[in-house]
């Protein structure tokens, strides 16, 4: 029903910044909470940030709080992740997804779906 496409990843030195985008197709984008996740080699998919339908409320993993900012533009069917002060441990494939279940502030991947293909973020030291 909704297709998500991530973009904006790349190679950056520690301390640098990247802005990821997640563009959605479909009519009901604004009806869903959204989330960003990441997955490093050999590790499980990890919650990064979430945002409610209106964009009024956001929540973050402790590891990125204060450095990353999630936002959305429902008119453009797009959610963003501004990533500042990047660290080598931020290196991962970053995915966006729609929230279908769970509580309002869930970061459980099982509560999300319609995953995009991911965009690679590599932070060098």
């Amino acid at each position: 029903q909704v297709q998500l496409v991530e973009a904006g990843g790349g190679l950056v030195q520690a301390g640098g910044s990247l802005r990821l985008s997640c563009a959605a197709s479909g009519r009901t984008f604004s009806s869903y909470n959204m989330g960003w996740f990441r997955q490093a080699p050999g590790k499980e998919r990890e919650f990064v940030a979430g945002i409610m339908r209106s964009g009024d409320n956001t929540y973050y993993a402790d590891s990125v709080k204060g450095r990353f900012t999630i936002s959305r533009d429902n008119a453009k069917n797009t959610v963003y992740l501004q990533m500042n002060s990047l660290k080598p441990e931020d290196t991962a494939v970053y995915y966006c997804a729609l929230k279908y279940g769970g509580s309002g502030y869930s970061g459980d991947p099982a509560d999300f779906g319609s995953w995009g293909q991911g965009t690679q973020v590599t932070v060098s030291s």
Side-chain angles (χ1 to χ4, degrees), residues 43-98:
K43 302 184 70 175
E44 294 183 350
R45 192 162 296 188
E46 175 190 24
F47 170 77
V48 175
I51 188 167
M52 302 304 183
R53 288 181 288 272
S54 68
D56 290 342
N57 296 101
T58 60
Y59 57 107
Y60 299 88
D62 288 342
S63 60
V64 306
K65 193 172 185 179
R67 300 188 297 120
F68 292 7
T69 302
I70 187 172
S71 62
R72 69 191 297 163
D73 186 339
N74 287 339
K76 296 181 178 180
N77 283 354
T78 302
V79 64
Y80 303 94
L81 186 68
Q82 179 66 47
M83 309 165 64
N84 298 327
S85 301
L86 283 162
K87 305 174 181 179
E89 51 262 44
D90 295 320
T91 295
V93 177
Y94 283 71
Y95 301 89
C96 64
L98 304 180

Side-chain angles (χ1 to χ4, degrees), residues 27-45:
R27 300 178 181 178
T28 61
F29 173 79
S30 63
S31 298
Y32 293 94
N33 300 337
M34 300 286 296
W36 282 99
F37 293 76
R38 65 188 182 187
Q39 188 165 19
K43 302 184 70 175
E44 294 183 350
R45 192 162 296 188

